[in-house]
């Protein structure tokens, strides 16, 4: 079932199950309502964690409680098999390389970023800046995830970057999702980690070593206050630039994508929409 | 009933006699009210609390190293027992504790030999006689002066302070550590509890409140965000990381949800005056624990159980993180705590009676007896009942206090302080 305005290059409906099969184990049937609500809760929790960082030091108790909630959801989704599918879908749905050349400058590993820059205030900046940073985060996360998925797809150390990165995508409108790229992406997923293409695109971006590093976002959330808030500010600045979303109205809406759309450029939008679209298929709305 | 308007009130505390009531607010100010006691023996006497002293306790600060502001909001005030004519209290914001001396001056000296009335020095050659200055009455002046500043001991935000029964030491607790101070010494404190993990990624639990036992100076308790309370004995070791007792109620599996942990987080812990019990407040209930029984509370009171089905919305609007306080009355027979819609609840322990009252100017006039309120959880709403959906979650009563001897209570809504007392016949 596709939203209005969808363009398909390959109109073979048989492609869908194949897509599902490529990405991992079949999802055990779950109550659709429950899983959508759980997904909303996860999204909401991640937004809350991001918005923790303001001018005043964040409330540690609140952050810990929200992070624990996210972990609980992740554990349950891992048991259901939903988690693996979601993270693999994100890895597969990478944006094609040529669209990302412009963002090369911003693509640096999070530690380098933290060390190099002083904390940026919440930018009220232009949309292009936001769009680029979102792109960077999505791809960076997808890149990390791809490498990590071989080693340990369910490791908690890798879970946060992916959802953080995927945030913009899920909040986007689902209307004009194009799925022409969905055909290309699975093949990209295989190429990028080990090809020079990745290097070309990302320049100084270093693909993480196989052993997953301690979850950078979570670690920095909780590391000792002195240096950590600097790091966290910079790491999350890209995400903070996401315009504040209205709260999800869980009780009224069953759709996890009810939040208003981001004002992103069209090139980014189509990629994020397609992410959305894939998730829709996988989650089985 | 009387009410005063101020900035957002962040703490309320009676002193040990109940004659003074201190409030702290978000702007770093402390306002102290004094009970009018002159006509106490008259039958129609009503205690009035009038402003006694106002001072700026804490100022906003900026931590340049972290590029973060340090709020001046007063998190807690605790009075010291009175030792002489002056009163002392501890007030704290997120990072710094201050000891304030509040003293009265109602006399001034007059008739100096060497000074004029206005303070100018006289020409010594003009002095021909000798006289003794006398003290003459003057209008009461209340002065507050900072006597000690206890700073730089907390990396995280201070949530509690508690004066020890030895009257020499006090504790201050932040999210991960508890420090012990001597009231006289500001450049040193001892760390007695430290739950910070070596690897911060492993952090899953924080300290939410701490208090010294009212009678045993070696005993303290601290509560956590996972709904546990640990009792520590300082005689056992210097670092009280190993608790003497762990109080925890097993979770009810039928109520399990993604919000279970959040609502089990304890927002306040208070010993009873007699030191035999302690009370904890979590999001939906108040629990009374016997210090000799660790595996479950002896009493549980539901504050607003009708919110259990609304937890998702309350998580969304952050209300689920509201930290309600609780308090005992003077003889430990009644406990009180706040709720939403400017409601507060009192639970009479032995008779198992409870009442919901409202602190609002619209719904009650001064000197009028408060009408009990009822919230309709579902089904047909009776007359005078309020439905859950029409509750105002911005009107929350987080801070309440009970006079240590009389039936006088102080209830803080967002901007106002209400003082209620037993009706006088």
């Amino acid at each position: 079932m596709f939203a209005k305005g969808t363009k398909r290059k390959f109109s073979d409906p048989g492609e869908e199950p194949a897509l599902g099969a490529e990405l991992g184990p079949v999802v055990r049937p779950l109550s659709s309502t429950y899983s959508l609500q759980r997904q909303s809760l996860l999204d909401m929790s991640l937004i809350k964690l991001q918005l923790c960082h303001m001018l005043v030091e964040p409330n540690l108790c609140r952050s810990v409680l929200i992070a624990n909630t996210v972990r609980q959801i992740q554990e349950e989704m891992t048991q259901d098999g939903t988690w693996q599918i979601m993270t693999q879908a994100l890895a597969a749905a990478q944006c094609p390389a040529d669209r990302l050349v412009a963002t090369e400058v911003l693509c640096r590993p999070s530690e380098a970023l933290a060390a190099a820059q002083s904390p940026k205030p919440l930018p009220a900046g232009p949309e292009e800046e936001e769009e680029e940073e979102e792109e960077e985060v999505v791809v960076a996360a997808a890149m990390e995830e791809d490498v990590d998925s071989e080693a340990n797809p369910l490791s908690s150390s890798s879970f946060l970057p992916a959802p953080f990165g995927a945030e913009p995508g899920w909040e986007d409108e689902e209307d004009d999702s194009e799925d022409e790229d969905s055909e290309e992406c699975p093949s990209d997923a295989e190429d990028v980690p080990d090809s020079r293409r990745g290097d070309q695109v990302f320049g100084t971006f270093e693909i993480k070593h196989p052993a997953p590093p301690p979850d950078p976002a979570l670690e920095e959330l909780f590391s000792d206050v002195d240096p950590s808030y600097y790091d966290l500010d910079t790491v999350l600045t890209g995400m903070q630039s996401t315009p504040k979303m209205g709260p999800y109205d869980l009780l009224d809406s069953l759709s996890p994508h009810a939040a208003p759309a981001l004002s992103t450029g069209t090139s980014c939008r189509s990629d994020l929409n397609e992410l959305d679209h894939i998730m829709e298929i996988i989650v089985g709305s | 009933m009387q009410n005063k308007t101020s900035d957002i009130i962040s703490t309320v505390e009676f002193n040990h006699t109940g004659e003074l009531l201190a409030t702290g607010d978000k702007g770093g100010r402390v306002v102290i009210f004094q009970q009018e006691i002159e006509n106490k023996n008259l039958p129609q006497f009503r205690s009035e609390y009038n402003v006694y002293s106002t001072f700026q306790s804490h100022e906003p600060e900026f931590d340049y190293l972290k590029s973060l502001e340090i709020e001046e909001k007063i998190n807690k005030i605790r009075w010291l027992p009175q030792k002489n004519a002056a009163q002392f209290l501890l007030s704290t914001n997120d990072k710094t504790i201050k000891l304030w001396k509040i003293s009265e001056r109602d006399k001034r000296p007059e008739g100096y030999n060497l000074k004029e009335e206005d303070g100018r020095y006289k020409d010594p050659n003009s002095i021909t006689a000798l006289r003794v200055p006398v003290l003459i009455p003057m209008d009461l002046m209340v002065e507050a002066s900072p006597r000690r500043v206890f700073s730089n001991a907390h990396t995280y935000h201070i949530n509690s302070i508690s004066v020890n029964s030895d009257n020499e030491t006090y504790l201050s607790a932040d999210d991960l550590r508890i420090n012990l101070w001597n009231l006289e010494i500001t450049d040193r404190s001892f760390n007695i509890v430290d739950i910070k993990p070596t690897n911060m990624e492993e952090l899953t639990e924080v300290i939410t409140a701490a208090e010294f036992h009212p009678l045993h100076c070696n005993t303290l308790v601290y509560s956590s965000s996972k709904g546990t309370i640990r009792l520590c004995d300082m005689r056992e070791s210097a670092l009280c990381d190993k608790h003497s007792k762990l109080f925890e109620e097993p979770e009810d599996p039928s109520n399990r949800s993604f919000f279970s942990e959040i609502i089990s987080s304890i927002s306040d812990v208070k010993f009873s005056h007699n030191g035999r019990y302690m009370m904890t407040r979590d999001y939906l209930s108040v629990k009374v624990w016997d210090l000799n029984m660790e595996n479950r509370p002896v009493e549980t009171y539901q504050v607003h159980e009708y919110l259990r089905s609304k937890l998702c919305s309350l998580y969304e609007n952050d209300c689920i993180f509201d930290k309600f306080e609780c308090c005992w009355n003077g003889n430990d027979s009644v406990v009180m705590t706040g709720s939403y819609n400017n409601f507060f609840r009192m639970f009479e322990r032995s008779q198992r009676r409870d009442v919901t009252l409202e602190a609002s100017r619209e719904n009650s006039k001064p000197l009028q007896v408060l009408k009990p309120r009822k919230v309709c959880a579902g089904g047909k709403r009776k007359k005078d009942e309020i439905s859950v959906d029409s509750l105002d979650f911005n009107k929350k009563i987080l801070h309440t206090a009970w006079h240590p001897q009389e039936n006088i209570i102080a209830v803080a809504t967002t901007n106002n302080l209400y003082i209620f007392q037993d009706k006088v016949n």
Side-chain angles (χ1 to χ4, degrees):
Chain A
M1 179 115 156
F2 298 105
K4 206 166 100 177
T6 302
K7 246 166 55 174
R8 292 191 55 129
K9 277 207 172 142
F10 304 102
S11 53
D12 183 357
E15 289 293 333
E16 289 173 55
L19 190 66
E22 263 178 311
L23 293 178
V26 176
V27 181
R28 272 167 261 146
L30 268 181
S31 147
S32 169
T33 312
Y34 175 80
S35 69
L36 285 171
Q37 284 182 341
R38 182 176 63 185
Q39 189 64 57
S40 282
L41 185 60
L42 178 64
D43 295 347
M44 202 198 309
S45 303
L46 294 170
I47 296 175
K48 283 181 185 296
L49 281 176
Q50 293 173 27
L51 294 177
C52 269
H53 299 277
M54 304 165 288
L55 282 173
V56 186
E57 276 183 274
N59 184 331
L60 189 62
C61 182
R62 181 175 172 273
S63 305
V64 167
L65 289 173
I66 298 171
N68 288 351
T69 308
V70 170
R71 274 197 200 95
Q72 274 182 61
I73 297 173
Q74 186 224 359
E75 270 166 30
E76 196 180 280
M77 288 176 79
T78 303
Q79 283 165 18
D80 292 337
T82 328
W83 190 263
Q84 193 169 2
I85 289 165
M86 181 178 75
T87 52
Q88 286 175 357
L90 294 175
Q94 288 177 56
C95 309
D98 57 0
R99 292 198 182 127
L100 296 172
V101 171
T103 67
E104 183 195 319
V105 167
L106 295 173
C107 293
R108 290 196 195 96
S110 49
E111 289 107 56
L113 205 108
Q117 295 176 15
S118 50
K120 287 197 279 188
L122 280 171
E127 282 169 20
E128 294 142 307
E129 185 189 348
E130 294 171 19
E131 166 197 334
E132 284 170 358
E133 288 173 301
E134 282 153 14
E135 277 273 39
E136 164 229 346
V137 171
V138 172
V139 182
M143 290 298 299
E144 284 189 308
E145 205 42 56
D146 211 43
V147 175
D148 291 342
S149 64
E150 308 309 314
N152 184 359
L154 306 179
S155 70
S156 62
S157 63
S158 58
F159 85 81
L160 264 186
F164 269 129
E167 263 306 298
W170 292 342
E171 288 154 359
D172 212 348
E173 275 175 6
E174 41 187 326
D175 299 331
D176 36 312
S177 57
E178 298 179 328
D179 90 350
E180 50 199 293
D181 292 320
S182 66
E183 309 308 326
E184 297 165 45
C185 283
S187 52
D188 280 352
E190 283 137 45
D191 290 350
V192 179
D194 50 15
S195 73
R196 296 152 312 276
R197 200 174 174 203
D199 292 345
Q200 252 176 343
V201 171
F202 297 112
T204 55
F205 184 77
E206 289 154 27
I207 296 174
K208 294 290 178 188
H209 21 275
D215 178 6
L218 195 55
E219 174 190 355
E220 299 189 85
L221 190 65
F222 295 130
S223 51
D224 213 317
V225 169
D226 288 343
S228 69
Y229 287 102
Y230 268 30
D231 304 339
L232 199 44
D233 275 341
T234 40
V235 164
L236 295 182
T237 295
M239 290 163 258
Q240 281 179 327
S241 65
T242 306
K244 287 207 178 201
M245 313 306 291
Y248 287 98
D249 198 341
L250 268 186
L251 300 177
D252 288 353
S253 161
L254 292 183
S255 165
H257 307 299
L262 292 176
S263 45
T264 60
T266 49
S267 60
C268 186
R269 172 181 278 246
S270 64
D271 300 309
L272 300 172
N273 280 333
E274 130 211 57
L275 208 66
D276 236 29
H277 175 55
I278 291 171
M279 281 312 302
E280 239 188 308
I281 299 169
I282 301 306
V283 174
S285 48
Chain B
M1 181 198 88
Q2 61 182 146
N3 50 59
K4 312 260 184 258
T5 306
S6 53
D7 205 355
I8 296 175
I9 298 170
S10 49
T11 185
V12 181
E13 187 81 356
F14 280 101
N15 76 337
H16 293 269
T17 60
E19 186 200 345
L20 298 176
L21 174 65
T23 62
D25 67 25
K26 198 158 171 265
R29 274 181 309 265
V30 171
V31 180
I32 302 176
F33 301 88
Q34 184 186 41
Q35 191 178 19
E36 171 65 56
I37 53 168
E38 268 176 28
N39 299 312
K40 210 162 185 184
N41 295 320
L42 294 177
Q44 69 275 24
F45 175 73
R46 302 201 151 275
S47 296
E48 275 209 3
Y49 277 81
N50 301 309
V51 178
Y52 177 68
S53 172
T54 304
F55 57 93
Q56 188 74 31
S57 171
H58 286 71
E59 299 277 1
E61 285 172 52
F62 193 78
D63 183 336
Y64 292 96
L65 214 53
K66 296 179 218 162
S67 281
L68 291 167
E69 283 180 12
I70 299 172
E71 280 189 308
E72 67 274 30
K73 172 169 73 86
I74 307 294
N75 293 335
K76 284 280 157 36
I77 289 173
R78 289 290 182 263
W79 291 92
L80 268 58
Q82 193 173 9
K83 280 197 276 200
N84 50 41
Q87 300 278 357
F88 288 86
L89 62 80
L90 287 170
S91 71
T92 186
N93 69 349
D94 284 338
K95 299 285 185 180
T96 304
I97 308 127
K98 293 187 185 180
L99 176 69
W100 287 88
K101 176 179 177 184
I102 296 107
S103 46
E104 289 184 3
R105 203 192 291 199
D106 62 356
K107 293 185 184 53
R108 65 181 175 85
E110 201 179 68
Y112 283 104
N113 285 290
L114 302 173
K115 279 195 282 191
E116 302 283 5
E117 286 309 315
D118 58 10
R120 279 181 305 140
Y121 280 95
K122 288 182 186 171
D123 173 14
N125 298 322
S126 67
I127 299 170
T128 54
L130 188 69
R131 58 179 174 163
V132 178
V134 291
L135 293 172
I136 58 166
M138 62 179 245
D139 287 340
L140 180 65
M141 199 166 80
V142 181
E143 297 171 319
S145 57
R147 305 303 288 180
R148 304 271 188 279
V149 177
F150 304 91
S151 54
N152 297 320
H154 287 280
T155 309
Y156 304 97
H157 291 181
I158 297 173
N159 52 54
S160 311
I161 46 176
S162 178
V163 184
N164 202 342
S165 52
D166 66 9
N167 286 332
E168 286 180 6
T169 57
Y170 76 94
L171 66 78
S172 58
D174 67 31
D175 296 309
L176 298 179
R177 297 192 178 101
I178 301 179
N179 294 330
L180 181 70
W181 302 84
N182 182 303
L183 284 162
E184 301 293 328
I185 299 168
T186 59
D187 60 359
R188 230 177 310 146
S189 73
F190 292 100
N191 177 245
I192 49 176
V193 175
D194 188 337
I195 64 167
K196 179 174 186 274
T198 15
N199 194 350
M200 278 298 267
E201 296 160 34
E202 291 161 10
L203 179 66
T204 56
E205 191 173 9
V206 301
I207 296 170
T208 51
E211 192 175 64
F212 267 123
H213 191 279
L215 307 169
H216 304 142
C217 59
N218 54 292
T219 304
L220 64 106
V221 290
Y222 67 93
S223 59
S224 84
S225 57
K226 284 198 172 170
T228 64
I229 309 101
R230 287 173 174 78
L231 187 140
C232 298
D233 186 334
M234 294 196 296
R235 293 173 301 193
E236 284 181 6
S237 67
L239 188 60
C240 294
D241 274 355
K242 289 183 75 154
H243 51 263
S244 300
K245 294 190 185 184
L246 174 67
F247 297 83
E248 188 174 13
E249 185 172 23
E251 196 186 355
D252 176 3
S254 63
N255 270 335
R256 177 119 192 94
S257 74
F258 284 120
F259 306 110
S260 294
E261 186 184 309
I262 300 178
I263 62 168
S264 75
S265 175
I266 292 172
S267 49
D268 194 16
V269 65
K270 292 263 169 53
F271 278 106
S272 61
H273 291 96
N274 60 21
R276 288 170 47 199
Y277 300 96
M278 67 177 175
M279 163 168 57
T280 57
R281 175 70 155 98
D282 51 69
Y283 191 62
L284 297 179
S285 67
V286 163
K287 295 180 182 171
V288 175
W289 303 76
D290 184 320
L291 294 183
N292 296 315
M293 185 157 69
E294 297 167 61
N295 58 356
R296 59 178 178 80
V298 289
E299 294 150 38
T300 302
Y301 302 102
Q302 300 302 336
V303 181
H304 36 220
E305 180 68 12
Y306 46 79
L307 295 183
R308 194 180 287 274
S309 56
K310 309 280 179 192
L311 292 178
C312 203
S313 303
L314 294 164
Y315 179 72
E316 193 180 319
N317 64 17
D318 264 13
C319 282
I320 209 175
F321 301 107
D322 285 336
K323 290 187 190 289
F324 291 95
E325 291 172 11
C326 53
C327 61
W328 297 85
N329 74 336
N331 61 12
D332 301 329
S333 59
V334 185
V335 297
M336 173 167 71
T337 189
S339 178
Y340 294 103
N341 210 67
N342 282 345
F343 287 169
F344 58 99
R345 303 263 282 139
M346 285 192 213
F347 302 92
E348 222 172 323
R349 295 174 62 206
S350 49
Q351 286 159 21
R352 298 248 147 208
R353 280 194 309 193
D354 64 270
V355 68
T356 304
L357 299 169
E358 183 177 358
S360 92
R361 267 186 285 214
E362 294 83 42
N363 292 326
S364 52
K365 299 185 183 56
L367 302 185
Q368 190 184 63
V369 173
L370 291 178
K371 202 172 68 167
R373 301 276 178 221
K374 196 144 162 54
V375 176
C376 167
K380 204 158 154 51
R381 186 174 74 89
K382 301 193 190 76
K383 176 176 176 285
D384 281 352
E385 277 187 358
I386 295 132
S387 81
V388 183
D389 298 314
S390 53
L391 292 175
D392 188 342
F393 290 93
N394 291 317
K395 293 187 181 164
K396 47 193 98 175
I397 291 180
L398 303 174
H399 313 287
T400 58
W402 205 305
H403 191 290
Q405 281 137 27
E406 299 169 42
N407 274 346
I408 300 173
I409 59 174
V411 171
T413 59
T414 311
N415 287 99
N416 293 306
L417 179 71
Y418 291 77
I419 297 173
F420 300 108
Q421 60 179 29
D422 252 5
K423 70 178 169 149
V424 174
N425 296 322

